[in-house]
Amino acid sequence: MLLLALFGLSGAGTSPDSLPKRVSVFPLPVVYYTPETRLAFGAAATATLRFRRDTGDTTARPSQLTFGVAYTQNRQLLVYLPFQVFYDHNRYYAYGEAGYYRYTYYFFGVGERAVPRELYGVNFPRIRMNAFRRIVPGWRCGKLYAGLRYQYEDYRVTRVVADGELASGRVPGGRGSRLTGGGLGLFFDARDRVFFPTKGVVADLAYLHRNRATGAGAAGETIRFSRLSADVSSYHRLAPRTVLALNYFVSYTAGTAPFNALSLLGGTRRLRGYYEGRYRDQNAAVLQSELRLPVYRRLGAVVFGGVGALGDERQLLRLNAPKAAYGAGLRFTVNRRDHLNLRVDYGLGRHSSGLYITIGEAF
């Protein structure tokens, strides 16, 4: 009941109202192979639930938690718990993740300074917490929340290419850093559903103020940065079961951030088809679209595409150097009540591609 305690709802003990009333669990094996990990295997389980306090409220949003563990032949370990929780008739909302990673990643450089990909090893615990309270109840067009954000990440780089960019000391955080800090946020929710919206808008605005990265400077000193970002998605029903989803994301960074905290393109959510972190810089802007189509009963299909741009302190966005990706995927509904989907996507970028298997939509 950590989340409820953070909201100040749990009191001296656990109230029956704060216990889940109905829980649906979907287990999923995790098996994949990459050159940097060799064979990886594990398991994940996604739970959707509603609390007893929300009994009888047909407008109460479902909550979701996913717990996963994976281990690789190269003795790498991933333990992760992403979550989003709605409580007390949608009055409170929290999302974020907790996890521990002992893993290897590829580094491709920062901004326009591209380098041959470097394999590096890292160990880090990560906590990201966003806790909101509804501040404007009764809006017909949606619900407005305000709240606090917190992040902690002890990024311990354990192995780098001897003559590579990370080893040179020119990249902030290239030898490791401890990131701490927080900020403020606004969250607006006018979706008809959480997991598979067919109409409405959702917007997440964040401001991180002078977050601290200890040990990230060239001489091991502390560096600081602030960030302003907006993540907005809109949903448009074109036919009874056909939906056009649009996503707009912008991120602006002031100060010096470690490379692992820069704005990223690629991965499961932004510009599928590129390795996560294939492109990174201080600023980023992304426009994505996805057409979601029914196929047969629980089975659906999507086609998607997107374009993004990066920038830094000299040029806000390099619009003359866009990054584009496109692809298609399948959906299988594992929770029919809330339309929670298993997602399988294949994306293509410039000289790049990616296969993604996960729970929930990209946006």
Side-chain angles (χ1 to χ4, degrees), residues 213-230:
T214 305
E221 72 273 19
T222 296
I223 58 177
R224 294 179 180 270
F225 68 96
S226 298
R227 173 169 295 132
L228 181 64
S229 65

Side-chain angles (χ1 to χ4, degrees), residues 185-218:
L186 288 175
F187 181 77
F188 176 73
D189 189 0
R191 297 168 292 180
D192 60 342
R193 289 188 297 199
V194 174
F195 301 138
F196 192 84
T198 63
K199 61 181 180 180
V201 176
V202 61
D204 194 358
L205 279 68
Y207 174 65
L208 302 178
H209 180 67
R210 290 185 59 77
N211 280 212
R212 182 171 65 251
T214 305

Side-chain angles (χ1 to χ4, degrees), residues 52-64:
R52 294 182 184 275
R53 180 181 289 260
D54 297 325
T55 300
D57 185 354
T58 59
T59 67
R61 301 290 204 189
S63 300
Q64 177 186 358

Side-chain angles (χ1 to χ4, degrees), residues 1-276:
M1 307 311 295
L2 172 61
L3 297 179
L4 302 182
L6 288 171
F7 283 151
L9 299 175
S10 60
T14 301
S15 164
D17 285 349
S18 67
L19 296 174
K21 179 186 178 184
R22 181 175 179 177
V23 181
S24 300
V25 179
F26 177 72
L28 180 69
V30 175
V31 181
Y32 62 91
Y33 181 92
T34 66
E36 67 270 26
T37 65
R38 295 196 290 169
L39 181 65
F41 52 91
T46 294
T48 59
L49 58 94
R50 288 176 171 83
F51 294 94
R52 294 182 184 275
R53 180 181 289 260
D54 297 325
T55 300
D57 185 354
T58 59
T59 67
R61 301 290 204 189
S63 300
Q64 177 186 358
L65 299 91
T66 298
F67 178 72
V69 179
Y71 189 76
T72 79
Q73 279 187 289
N74 287 347
R75 299 182 179 180
Q76 298 152 334
L77 176 67
L78 299 90
V79 182
Y80 51 93
L81 176 66
F83 59 86
Q84 58 173 328
V85 175
F86 288 92
Y87 182 73
D88 193 13
H89 311 284
N90 305 321
R91 182 176 299 170
Y92 299 95
Y93 172 56
Y95 75 91
E97 66 170 306
Y100 174 78
Y101 305 85
R102 188 176 73 230
Y103 209 60
T104 56
Y105 298 94
Y106 283 121
F107 175 74
F108 296 87
V110 174
E112 294 298 286
R113 187 181 174 84
V115 299
R117 72 179 188 181
E118 301 177 8
L119 185 66
Y120 70 96
V122 64
N123 296 346
F124 63 99
R126 172 191 285 164
I127 298 173
R128 291 177 179 171
M129 180 69 189
N130 305 272
F132 297 91
R133 190 185 192 282
R134 193 174 63 212
I135 58 173
V136 182
W139 273 16
R140 288 183 176 270
C141 61
K143 303 173 181 65
L144 181 64
Y145 298 79
L148 302 175
R149 303 179 185 272
Y150 173 78
Q151 61 176 345
Y152 170 84
E153 185 174 279
D154 192 359
Y155 209 73
R156 302 176 185 177
V157 176
T158 58
R159 178 165 58 96
V160 297
V161 176
D163 56 350
E165 185 75 2
L166 290 178
S168 71
R170 292 188 294 265
V171 179
R175 297 171 181 171
S177 65
R178 179 176 298 161
L179 176 62
T180 56
L184 304 174
L186 288 175
F187 181 77
F188 176 73
D189 189 0
R191 297 168 292 180
D192 60 342
R193 289 188 297 199
V194 174
F195 301 138
F196 192 84
T198 63
K199 61 181 180 180
V201 176
V202 61
D204 194 358
L205 279 68
Y207 174 65
L208 302 178
H209 180 67
R210 290 185 59 77
N211 280 212
R212 182 171 65 251
T214 305
E221 72 273 19
T222 296
I223 58 177
R224 294 179 180 270
F225 68 96
S226 298
R227 173 169 295 132
L228 181 64
S229 65
D231 192 351
V232 181
S233 297
S234 63
Y235 308 92
H236 312 269
R237 185 187 290 134
L238 306 182
R241 296 180 60 197
T242 301
V243 177
L244 174 64
L246 303 173
N247 175 250
Y248 319 86
F249 174 78
V250 293
S251 174
Y252 171 76
T253 305
T256 302
F259 82 96
N260 53 295
L262 291 170
S263 302
L264 306 179
L265 300 183
T268 62
R269 297 191 62 231
R270 297 192 180 102
L271 287 194
R272 286 159 285 177
Y274 292 107
Y275 185 88
E276 185 171 7

Side-chain angles (χ1 to χ4, degrees), residues 111-113 265 271 274 279-281 283-285 306-311 315-324 350:
E112 294 298 286
R113 187 181 174 84
L265 300 183
L271 287 194
Y274 292 107
Y279 299 105
R280 64 179 81 210
D281 211 334
N283 312 321
V307 62
L310 296 167
Q315 189 173 0
L316 185 64
L317 289 173
R318 294 184 291 273
L319 298 178
N320 61 338
K323 320 299 180 186
R350 187 170 183 267

Side-chain angles (χ1 to χ4, degrees), residues 273-304:
Y274 292 107
Y275 185 88
E276 185 171 7
R278 173 62 182 85
Y279 299 105
R280 64 179 81 210
D281 211 334
Q282 285 185 280
N283 312 321
V286 182
L287 171 62
Q288 301 181 98
S289 64
E290 183 171 283
L291 185 62
R292 301 170 179 173
L293 307 160
V295 175
Y296 179 72
R297 293 190 176 180
R298 295 191 182 204
L299 187 65
V302 305
V303 291
F304 57 85

